[in-house]
Amino acid sequence: MLNVKSLCSGYINTEILHDISFTARPGEITAIIGPNGCGKSTLLKTISGIIPASNGSVYYNEADILKLSQQERARIISYLTQNRQVPDITAGRLVLHGRFPYLSYPRRYRKEDYEAAKKAMEDMGITELSDKPLSRLSGGMQQQVYIAMALAQDTDIILFDEPTTYLDIRNQMTVLKYMRRLADSGKTVIMVIHDIGHALETADHVLLMKEGRIIADGNPLEVYESGAIGDVFGIGIEKIVSASGTHYICT
């Protein structure tokens, strides 16, 4: 279980996150939604230790993971950032990079590292991309490779910043279904996502943010019925129940 308590952080002398507290549980998807610039990505970066916290703590079970070494933290949390440069390596080699937290210096991959990378690519359905240069793949394919790298890291907590970016609608649905499989396997999945419908339909737990604070925290129905989504985004949102399930549309 991940417990975030009174977390504050920001950049230089500007505080972006103000007193953030929430719990993310194993077996659940926590979706973070909110307008651009509200602090969603900053929250993931602070939890993963990329940005130092100015106050508060992030507990995984009994340990404050903000006080762990980078390597120790990387064995607990994997983080897929939204913006990144594309290295001049093959897709298979990038996926292997997810195994770095388990290697000592100099890095020499072991049999279990190759097996973990292979399984991650199989799970994402991209085995045939293994020997292809990453720079020659489409944006959607690159995104799938990066997700496989995060999976190969094999951590209990996985942070995704916009995992469906660059993907067409079919691949978006594939990725969201895989998020569900990860959670059902016992992982704690936290994702920043802009599509409100996807967030409410996929997640077990929704955090709605505005100006660096959590405005609503609950299950999708609770957050929807609070009316806070419409207030924060300045839109209407409707719930539709059909034979295929409950869906949400913005109006």
Side-chain angles (χ1 to χ4, degrees), residues 199-218:
L200 296 177
E201 293 165 23
T202 304
D204 306 285
H205 176 209
V206 176
L207 302 175
L208 173 62
M209 293 185 64
K210 179 182 179 181
E211 297 177 351
R213 301 182 187 277
I214 294 177
I215 303 300
D217 179 350

Side-chain angles (χ1 to χ4, degrees), residues 103-108:
L103 304 179
S104 57
Y105 186 83
R107 296 188 180 109
R108 291 190 177 92

Side-chain angles (χ1 to χ4, degrees), residues 46-59:
T46 306
I47 292 173
S48 62
I50 295 173
I51 297 174
S54 56
N55 190 55
S57 57
V58 179
Y59 278 90

